């Protein structure tokens, strides 16, 4: 909806960036949209292209990452640039100005800046240019799948009424937190409890 409505700046508050990027990538594949992701450690990756056809490495340059959005957008289809933990770089006037320009141009050429961060910390110059979205925590079915992936031996998973209580207790946890809690329970008690 945000892409179709031309919200060129999207801020996703998430504690699970890998899962958020995977969900965004699935949406982009389904819709035929271009996608690139950047973080300070891995640099730029254009999702869905062969490694040898990647653009020149942006490396750890956050300003260069923002500037690549213009190259991703060809105007024929939406192009999303996901910037992981980019809130760390928003103290720079150059980066704030580059984002301002990228978002303004993005409305015209279907180029979208998506910032993934565990907090919402938008500079005052940009605060009205971003739509803020919460990345959903795992659903009950996803928590059940996590528990079943952890408890692979007979009797490691409780019967249905007790499993319901475990899933109720896990509501509100991230995927990683649920995996850790289920694993620790398995080690301590020999079963998920």
């Amino acid at each position: 909806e945000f892409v179709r409505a031309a919200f060129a700046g999207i801020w996703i508050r998430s504690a699970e960036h890998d899962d958020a990027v995977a969900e965004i990538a699935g949406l982009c594949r389904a819709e035929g949209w271009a996608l690139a992701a950047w973080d300070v450690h891995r640099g730029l990756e254009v999702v869905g292209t062969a490694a040898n056809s990647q653009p020149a490495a942006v490396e750890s340059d956050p300003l260069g990452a923002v500037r690549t959005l213009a190259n991703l957008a060809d105007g024929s289809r939406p192009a999303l640039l996901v910037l992981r933990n980019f809130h760390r770089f928003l103290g720079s006037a150059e980066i704030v100005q580059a984002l301002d320009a990228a978002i303004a141009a993005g409305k015209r050429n279907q180029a979208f800046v998506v910032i993934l961060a565990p907090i919402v910390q938008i500079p005052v110059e940009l605060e009205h240019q971003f739509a803020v979205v919460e990345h959903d925590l795992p659903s009950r079915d996803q928590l059940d799948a996590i528990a079943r992936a952890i408890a692979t031996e007979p009797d490691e998973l409780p019967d249905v009424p007790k499993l319901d209580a475990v899933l109720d207790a896990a509501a509100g946890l991230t995927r990683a937190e649920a995996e850790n809690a289920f694993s620790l329970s398995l080690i301590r008690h020999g079963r998920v409890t």
Side-chain angles (χ1 to χ4, degrees):
E1 291 176 343
F2 288 106
V3 169
R4 288 192 178 104
F7 282 67
I10 302 170
W11 189 292
I12 301 176
R13 187 166 96 63
S14 174
E16 302 178 294
H17 295 349
D18 289 337
D19 291 325
V21 170
E23 290 173 24
I24 293 167
L27 176 64
C28 287
R29 272 191 304 279
E31 297 292 336
W33 301 340
L35 174 64
W38 179 89
D39 69 41
V40 72
H41 174 67
R42 291 177 276 217
L44 184 73
E45 175 192 3
V46 178
V47 180
T49 61
N52 60 359
S53 66
Q54 294 286 324
V58 173
E59 300 297 326
S60 61
D61 176 19
L63 188 56
V66 174
R67 289 178 175 156
T68 63
L69 185 58
N71 298 330
L72 292 171
D74 62 9
S76 67
R77 63 183 179 150
L80 281 70
L81 173 62
V82 176
L83 302 168
R84 294 168 60 130
N85 290 316
F86 209 71
H87 64 291
R88 295 290 190 171
F89 302 102
L90 295 177
S92 162
E94 293 87 358
I95 290 174
V96 169
Q97 192 61 52
L99 281 171
D100 181 61
I103 291 169
K107 289 188 171 291
R108 292 186 304 276
N109 62 10
Q110 299 188 69
F112 301 85
V113 173
V114 180
I115 294 180
L116 287 178
I119 59 172
V120 178
Q121 196 173 47
I122 304 171
V124 66
E125 300 89 344
L126 300 172
E127 67 184 13
H128 297 291
Q129 295 184 31
F130 278 94
V132 178
V133 179
E134 292 286 328
H135 180 228
D136 291 333
L137 291 170
S139 67
R140 187 177 186 81
D141 290 340
Q142 290 169 322
L143 291 170
D144 183 70
I146 292 167
R148 292 180 188 284
I150 299 290
T152 59
E153 299 296 320
D155 296 326
E156 288 182 343
L157 204 60
D159 58 5
V160 173
K162 289 182 181 176
L163 179 58
D164 286 341
V166 167
L167 297 177
D168 288 343
L173 296 179
T174 65
R175 288 155 187 82
E177 290 169 334
E179 287 174 3
N180 290 342
F182 296 156
S183 295
L184 187 59
S185 175
L186 195 59
I187 296 300
R188 286 185 179 169
H189 306 289
R191 62 182 303 147
V192 174
T193 180

